[in-house]
């Protein structure tokens, strides 16, 4: 890792390394699971904890803003006259921990093993939030000022669709003016190669509910005369995709922008080791839509996946019933220019059309978001690339992510800011899964890269 251009800042970072690690571990000890109401107080505690750290760092106008859900933490520092204003975003909420028995250690008792920190949220997204916080803290401690004007927005509902963020952004639009947004909720490319993200997939999330008789029935007494809701659900699910990996919902691909020849070449040029990828996830083979490479299918093509399916008897032994109800959760990753609401309507119409007779089928929209595709030539992105190159000694890759950050589109529309997706998590950090981890090398380098980026924005190309 290259040192920062600023020796006193580098010395300060070296000196405070252990204390900074402790701060990060403290943050990881707060179980801020946004999806589960049982952890609402912990989300609030995480917001308050962050606000305290921001005040200690010397950030101003620190605020824990009520939203009707988990609070948003805001802070700013606006004394860099003539310099650009950066609006930096991250989220302090984390995903649930299930299946808990597959964790090597307790998810909220962070374990440091060599260069790895193991904990829920260690990468997604408490690492990036801490990097932002500690970059500002180190600058204020050593220079007494920041090179840019800075606003932090740390939300607590990213993992549950950011429902309260948009109204808050709209209500506070006037006091959130800026020149560039840094969304720090992404990371590096396969093989832990430094990268900047220029594309994210969108999302359509639906639940299918199938109901039959008033209550469960004896499968001998009634079997053969009534439709079984679980069988009906499986019939529906089996018709959603074809053997060619294509999604069969009529009109599903209508707005999909196919990759240009140049874009395909650029993707193909990335150092993606397909066999290492396959082996790292433990599957016997990779599958998907015909006519597309693995990497294309991973980041630039839409998907349809069951996330859960349930109903009927799952206890020990047998229980001969026709279950009264069956359910499935389905997510579709979307790409430019698919519109989540239109995709939901087409999905719903198709499910109702193929539903067998004899059951009642309902399809609910569980929320979604638009995909993001950023221009490669934006000066704010180029500045980020220079900062990454200076820090890591190699130019960053420009990558698309298969994951989603649905509010990015809203963020861009509401605040009208160019957005740079810059973050430092390792690509195989087990986000949302057991044994989530962060690489401490990435963490330390991330702080330096963020400082360099802000310096770059203040004096481009110097
Ligand atoms: N940080 C992720 C998105 C992400 C994943 C970026 C992988 C880069 C690599 C974010 O927290 C996330 O998990 N988003 C959800 C959105 C959903 C809850 C609406 C996702 O992608 O599933
Ligand atoms: Mn995240
Ligand atoms: Mn996440």
């Amino acid at each position: 890792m290259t040192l920062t251009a600023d020796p006193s800042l580098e010395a300060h970072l070296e000196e405070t390394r252990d204390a900074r690690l402790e701060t990060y571990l403290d943050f990881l000890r707060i179980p801020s699971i946004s999806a589960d109401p049982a952890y609402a107080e912990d989300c609030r505690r995480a917001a308050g904890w962050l606000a305290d750290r921001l005040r200690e760092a010397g950030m101003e106008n620190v605020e824990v803003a009520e939203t009707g859900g988990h609070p948003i933490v805001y802070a700013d520092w606006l004394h860099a006259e003539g310099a650009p204003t950066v609006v930096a975003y991250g989220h302090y909420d984390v995903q649930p921990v299930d299946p808990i028995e597959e964790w090597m250690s307790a998810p909220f008792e962070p374990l440091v093993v060599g260069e790895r920190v193991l904990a829920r949220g260690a990468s997604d997204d408490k690492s990036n939030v801490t990097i932002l916080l500690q970059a500002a803290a180190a600058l204020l401690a050593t220079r007494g000022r920041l090179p840019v004007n800075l606003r932090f927005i740390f939300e607590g509902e990213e993992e549950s669709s950011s429902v309260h963020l948009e109204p808050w952004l709209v209500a506070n639009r006037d006091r959130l003016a800026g020149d560039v947004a840094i969304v720090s909720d992404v990371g590096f490319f396969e093989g832990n190669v430094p990268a900047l993200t220029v594309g994210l997939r969108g999302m359509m999330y639906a639940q299918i509910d199938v109901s039959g008789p008033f209550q469960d029935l004896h499968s001998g007494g009634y079997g053969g005369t009534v439709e079984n809701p679980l069988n009906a659900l499986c019939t529906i699910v089996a018709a959603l995709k074809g053997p060619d990996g294509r999604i069969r919902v009529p009109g599903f691909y209508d707005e999909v922008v196919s990759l240009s020849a140049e874009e395909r070449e650029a993707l193909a040029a990335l150092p993606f080791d397909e066999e290492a990828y396959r082996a790292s996830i433990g599957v016997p083979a990779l599958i998907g839509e015909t006519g597309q490479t693995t990497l294309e299918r991973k980041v630039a093509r839409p998907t349809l996946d069951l996330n859960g399916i349930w109903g009927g008897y799952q206890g020990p032994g047998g229980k001969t019933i026709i279950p009264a109800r069956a359910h499935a959760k389905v997510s579709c990753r979307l790409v430019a220019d698919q519109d989540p609401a239109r995709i939901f309507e087409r999905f719903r119409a198709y499910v109702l059309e193929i539903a067998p007779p004899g059951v009642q089928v309902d399809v609910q929209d569980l929320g979604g978001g638009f995909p993001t595709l950023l221009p490669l030539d934006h000066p704010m992105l180029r500045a980020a690339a220079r900062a990454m190159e200076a820090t890591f000694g190699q130019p960053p890759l420009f990558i698309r992510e298969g994951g989603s950050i649905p509010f990015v589109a809203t963020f861009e529309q509401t605040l009208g800011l160019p957005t740079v997706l810059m973050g430092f998590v390792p690509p195989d950090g087990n986000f949302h899964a057991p044994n989530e981890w962060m690489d401490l090398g990435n963490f330390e380098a991330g702080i330096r890269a963020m400082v360099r980026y802000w310096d770059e924005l203040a004096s481009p190309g110097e």
Side-chain angles (χ1 to χ4, degrees):
M1 183 179 56
T2 320
L3 297 183
T4 46
D6 178 339
S8 66
L9 186 124
E10 184 56 39
H12 172 81
L13 286 175
E14 277 309 315
E15 247 164 58
T16 52
R17 195 185 165 109
D18 293 347
R20 287 186 296 100
L21 175 62
E22 281 310 316
T23 305
Y24 169 49
L25 299 183
D26 274 347
F27 193 17
L28 295 177
R29 289 189 182 99
I30 308 176
S32 45
I33 303 171
S34 58
D36 187 342
Y39 294 89
E41 272 316 304
D42 294 299
C43 290
R44 202 154 277 280
R45 198 149 58 83
W49 182 93
L50 258 182
D52 289 343
R53 300 293 83 72
L54 288 162
R55 278 188 208 101
E56 276 170 17
M59 292 296 293
E60 300 174 351
N61 299 309
V62 180
E63 188 182 327
V64 176
E66 291 304 330
T67 61
H70 306 308
I72 289 171
V73 181
Y74 174 86
D76 62 30
W77 191 94
L78 304 169
H79 307 292
E81 228 170 277
T85 299
V86 172
V87 180
Y89 165 95
H91 63 91
Y92 66 77
D93 63 321
V94 301
Q95 286 269 327
V97 297
D98 318 339
I100 184 86
E101 65 281 2
E102 290 183 25
W103 284 78
M104 282 166 51
S105 62
F108 297 108
E109 291 167 27
L111 188 69
V112 183
V113 189
E115 284 292 279
R116 286 188 180 204
V117 177
L118 226 86
R120 169 57 85 230
S123 44
D124 183 11
D125 185 34
K126 285 177 172 171
S127 60
N128 288 318
V129 169
T130 310
I131 285 167
L132 288 170
L133 166 74
Q134 296 196 345
L139 282 164
L140 289 168
T142 53
R143 295 186 202 165
R145 52 181 296 106
L146 301 179
V148 291
N149 301 294
L150 184 61
R151 302 180 194 280
F152 281 142
I153 298 174
F154 296 135
E155 76 150 322
E157 298 186 333
E158 197 280 337
E159 302 292 10
S160 21
S161 294
S162 303
V163 279
H164 295 94
L165 181 61
E166 187 181 350
W168 186 83
L169 285 177
V170 171
N172 292 278
R173 181 186 301 177
D174 296 341
R175 63 180 191 118
L176 295 176
D179 299 290
V180 60
I182 303 176
V183 171
S184 202
D185 188 19
V186 290
F188 285 8
F189 190 68
E190 252 48 49
N192 205 21
V193 181
L196 286 165
T197 301
V198 295
L200 293 165
R201 289 195 285 199
M203 168 91 90
M204 186 287 291
Y205 206 115
Q207 178 164 327
I208 307 175
D209 299 298
V210 182
S211 53
F214 294 130
Q215 58 180 36
D216 292 357
L217 300 174
H218 190 290
S219 66
Y222 297 87
T225 66
V226 295
E227 180 57 277
N228 178 319
L230 262 177
N231 288 39
L233 179 58
C234 292
T235 303
I236 293 168
V237 163
L240 294 175
K241 284 171 84 171
D244 55 358
R246 298 270 294 182
I247 294 146
R248 285 179 165 169
V249 174
F252 187 87
Y253 292 93
D254 283 2
E255 289 88 17
V256 170
V257 180
S258 297
L259 289 169
S260 67
E262 295 79 51
E263 286 170 328
R264 295 191 103 164
E265 268 170 40
L267 273 183
L270 291 172
F272 182 64
D273 181 339
E274 203 164 312
E275 174 50 22
Y277 174 70
R278 183 203 64 75
S280 74
I281 39 190
V283 292
L286 298 169
I287 59 88
E289 189 183 357
T290 51
Q292 312 283 331
T293 69
T294 300
L295 198 48
E296 287 167 3
R297 301 193 312 253
K298 187 176 187 294
V299 300
R301 298 295 297 172
T303 66
L304 184 150
D305 281 292
L306 279 191
N307 293 220
I309 184 162
W310 70 102
Y313 182 65
Q314 283 149 65
K319 181 164 182 269
T320 46
I321 55 163
I322 294 172
R325 283 167 283 277
H327 315 269
K329 288 188 194 276
V330 181
S331 66
C332 288
R333 298 285 169 171
L334 309 178
V335 301
D337 286 323
Q338 290 178 298
D339 172 332
R342 291 174 78 171
I343 296 295
F344 173 76
E345 277 317 319
R346 289 173 194 159
F347 174 79
R348 182 171 172 276
Y350 179 60
V351 168
L352 297 182
E353 181 197 317
I354 60 178
V359 286
Q360 165 75 34
V361 178
D362 294 298
V363 187
Q364 303 172 55
D365 189 349
L366 297 188
F370 283 86
T372 300
L373 200 51
L374 303 171
L376 274 173
D377 53 1
H378 199 284
M380 300 296 186
L381 183 68
R382 293 285 141 194
R386 287 196 298 277
M388 297 280 277
E389 179 165 1
T391 308
F392 296 101
Q394 66 187 93
L397 300 173
F398 292 99
I399 61 170
R400 298 188 190 207
E401 266 301 342
S404 310
I405 313 178
F407 77 88
V408 169
T410 325
F411 210 61
E412 285 196 287
Q413 283 159 16
T414 312
L415 301 183
L417 299 181
T419 301
V420 172
L421 297 161
M422 184 180 189
F424 303 94
V425 301
D428 53 349
N430 295 334
F431 331 132
H432 299 200
N435 304 311
E436 181 174 350
W437 63 280
M438 175 65 185
D439 184 293
L440 284 174
N442 290 31
F443 177 82
E444 287 296 323
I447 296 170
R448 275 91 174 161
M450 196 55 78
V451 166
R452 280 199 191 259
Y453 185 27
W454 296 341
D455 277 340
E456 264 295 327
L457 287 171
S459 345
E462 282 174 19

